[in-house]
Amino acid sequence: DRAYPGAQPMLLEMAAVQPFGGVAGQYPVEPFSSGGPFTFAWNCNAAETSCTLISPAYQAQVPNISAPDEDIVNMEGTMTGFYGTSAASPGAASVAALLLSAGAKPTAIPQALEQTAVPQTSTSGWDPNYGYGVVDALAAAGDLLPPVAHITDPAAGKTVTVGSSVFFGGYCTTAIPSSEDTALDASWNFG
């Protein structure tokens, strides 16, 4: 929820989840992770030298999404404990960087991460512990970076007789390759 006073339009607030030990498809939220909702009663400048009271107070639905924390490989090549939102945020940021490198528009990434997050509760929508769910890089890529059709038949410059049937041949590629088998439907409207 980036509508609260002073919020940045590209800001996502993070919750941390344990990457192991949960039921399939559900990651336990860290007990020390940020939770919501959060009530904003003051709007302060960046230096926090001047604040104004917000009346009525604004209740924001944060966190927006969740990402795993836990052990990482440090510069020496050994596993190091790294927990909480400080560890989860770089993981989600790396998904955003991957999407940027594949050509996604920066302004579309926060909403795509929310919309494609994997819910961790039985209720749909926002949850005070997980936000909209755990970040899903492949789903976000599929949402922001649609497949590209490469038509090989009919070949460029081929004449098609008006009223006759046209059969297309070709293949599709995706910006981020996946080993998942997915069905592809294509349609054209020639006006």
Side-chain angles (χ1 to χ4, degrees):
D1 183 355
R2 290 171 291 283
Y4 59 86
Q8 299 299 311
M10 304 282 286
L11 176 71
L12 288 176
E13 295 199 29
M14 194 67 48
V17 297
Q18 300 170 13
F20 310 107
V23 178
Q26 183 171 347
Y27 300 96
V29 69
E30 292 286 15
F32 46 79
S33 179
S34 299
F38 188 81
T39 302
F40 290 88
W42 295 91
N43 189 15
C44 300
N45 64 8
E48 295 185 4
T49 56
S50 173
C51 298
T52 56
L53 183 63
I54 299 170
S55 183
Y58 183 82
Q59 191 170 38
Q61 288 185 331
V62 293
N64 301 93
I65 57 174
S66 305
D69 66 358
E70 210 143 307
D71 296 330
I72 61 164
V73 177
N74 65 20
M75 297 298 286
E76 289 81 34
T78 58
M79 295 294 272
T80 302
F82 187 36
Y83 303 98
T85 55
S86 296
S89 295
S94 67
V95 173
L98 176 68
L99 295 170
L100 281 172
S101 70
K105 294 180 180 176
T107 55
I109 292 174
Q111 184 176 2
L113 291 177
E114 287 178 349
Q115 289 177 342
T116 60
V118 179
Q120 299 298 298
T121 61
S122 59
T123 59
S124 63
W126 180 81
D127 175 81
N129 294 310
Y130 294 97
Y132 289 99
V134 175
V135 67
D136 184 334
L138 188 57
D143 189 57
L144 288 174
L145 308 164
V148 176
H150 302 273
I151 306 300
T152 57
D153 185 38
K158 181 177 180 181
T159 302
V160 177
T161 306
V162 174
S164 66
S165 297
V166 178
F167 296 93
F168 291 92
Y171 60 96
C172 289
T173 57
T174 58
I176 300 176
S178 168
S179 61
E180 293 184 7
D181 291 330
T182 56
L184 173 69
D185 294 320
S187 61
W188 288 268
N189 180 348
F190 294 101

